[in-house]
Amino acid sequence: MSDDDPAPTAESIMSDNDLDIREPPRILVPVEVLEGESISESLVEFLAPARIILLGYHVLPEQTPTEQASMQFEDRARTAVEDIADTFRGVGRGVETRVAFTHDRDQTVERVAEEVGATAILLPNPSSDIEDVLVPIRGAVDVGRLADLVSTLLGGHAGTVTLWGLDTGGEYDTDAAVERARETLLDRGLPAEQITAEHAESESPVWDIVDRSGEFDIIVMGAGGPSLLSSLFGDPTERVAEGAVAPVIVVRTRED
């Protein structure tokens, strides 16, 4: 793809590569915008086929009213968000932007994810070129959404996806879940040679994921439990994103 070519979309990838994507992904990207957080160019290019909702947020001290912060910082925050949005527009992709001042980051991210119908949320750790994707499977995951997301992002690229089943010794059938994910990726049109399946026993799946994150360019995982945010920001024993070397995309479970 030359610099002048528009970025592929989920729809164009489906057409060009015979993918059978059921739900084109919408990824919410929260950025602590007034703290200088940004998105790398390689990550922007990797995410380009998806619809991006960019949320610039700023966490306020408890005693600071959100209205006061909005009056004081909103212009600066919107400028910073638009600067990041321009990097997505630079690869030919539209992006929706939002700004929020909040006392509770987790609650704000969850609320916006609900409002925009996000299929996944990104935690933007630093990244170089993105080719190899790790998909840890440690519990119930919306396989359809996960397959749509991975197939869309890898469609037309030579990258690989490693499905890594983590057996914690419970009743969850990890082997069956990995095979179901592999078959769904094949159904979506991802070539078999791009998919690898691995299995391991694990007493601490979160830390095993973190330990292995340096071997891959990005992690895509299901929430793995009732709370998506526990995988993103929550208790240290459940928190993957902030310990991982690579960026992390957490797939939200579809509501019935």
Side-chain angles (χ1 to χ4, degrees), residues 33 55-59 77 98-102 108 111-112:
V33 69
L55 170 64
Y57 70 88
H58 183 62
V59 179
R98 295 194 176 203
V99 170
F101 297 94
T102 179
T108 297
R111 174 180 57 78
V112 175

Side-chain angles (χ1 to χ4, degrees), residues 110-123:
E110 183 74 42
R111 174 180 57 78
V112 175
E114 288 285 343
E115 289 176 357
V116 303
T119 54
I121 300 176
L122 169 78
L123 264 292

Side-chain angles (χ1 to χ4, degrees), residues 123-137:
L123 264 292
N125 287 327
S127 62
S128 54
D129 291 344
I130 297 176
E131 295 184 351
D132 299 321
V133 179
L134 176 65
V135 180
I137 297 178

Side-chain angles (χ1 to χ4, degrees), residues 164-246:
W164 188 30
L166 292 166
D167 185 354
T168 59
E171 295 181 355
Y172 186 72
D173 191 338
T174 306
D175 290 352
V178 168
E179 181 57 22
R180 188 164 62 252
R182 191 186 74 84
E183 290 179 353
T184 309
L185 285 170
L186 292 172
D187 287 345
R188 297 297 195 267
L190 201 67
E193 58 269 24
Q194 290 183 245
I195 306 170
T196 299
E198 299 180 8
H199 302 266
E201 295 182 356
S202 175
E203 296 181 355
S204 303
V206 169
W207 295 117
D208 287 341
I209 295 167
V210 169
D211 285 345
R212 206 174 177 195
S213 64
E215 300 175 30
F216 295 87
D217 302 314
I218 195 166
I219 299 169
V220 179
M221 55 186 289
S227 173
L228 164 71
L229 294 176
S230 68
S231 299
L232 295 174
F233 311 122
D235 185 279
T237 60
E238 292 296 322
R239 190 168 53 208
V240 172
E242 293 185 6
V245 174

Side-chain angles (χ1 to χ4, degrees), residues 9-134:
T9 64
E11 293 77 8
S12 67
I13 288 172
M14 290 168 64
S15 174
D16 294 343
N17 300 287
D18 297 326
L19 292 181
D20 186 18
I21 296 166
R22 314 294 167 80
E23 182 186 14
R26 297 169 59 85
I27 301 177
L28 177 64
V29 181
V31 179
E32 196 165 12
V33 69
L34 294 184
E35 299 299 323
E37 193 173 27
S38 61
I39 310 294
S40 68
E41 291 185 7
S42 60
L43 193 51
V44 168
E45 291 180 2
F46 182 73
L47 297 175
R51 178 67 183 174
I52 299 299
I53 300 93
L54 185 61
L55 170 64
Y57 70 88
H58 183 62
V59 179
L60 301 171
E62 193 62 39
Q63 66 274 19
T64 302
T66 54
E67 296 80 4
Q68 177 185 330
S70 179
M71 292 176 60
Q72 188 172 357
F73 299 118
E74 183 160 356
D75 287 347
R76 181 179 156 205
R78 289 198 178 279
T79 297
V81 167
E82 288 302 318
D83 285 345
I84 298 173
D86 282 344
T87 62
F88 285 95
R89 297 177 183 122
V91 296
R93 197 69 176 117
V95 56
E96 177 182 339
T97 61
R98 295 194 176 203
V99 170
F101 297 94
T102 179
H103 296 110
D104 189 327
R105 173 185 61 178
D106 300 6
Q107 189 177 72
T108 297
V109 171
E110 183 74 42
R111 174 180 57 78
V112 175
E114 288 285 343
E115 289 176 357
V116 303
T119 54
I121 300 176
L122 169 78
L123 264 292
N125 287 327
S127 62
S128 54
D129 291 344
I130 297 176
E131 295 184 351
D132 299 321
V133 179
L134 176 65

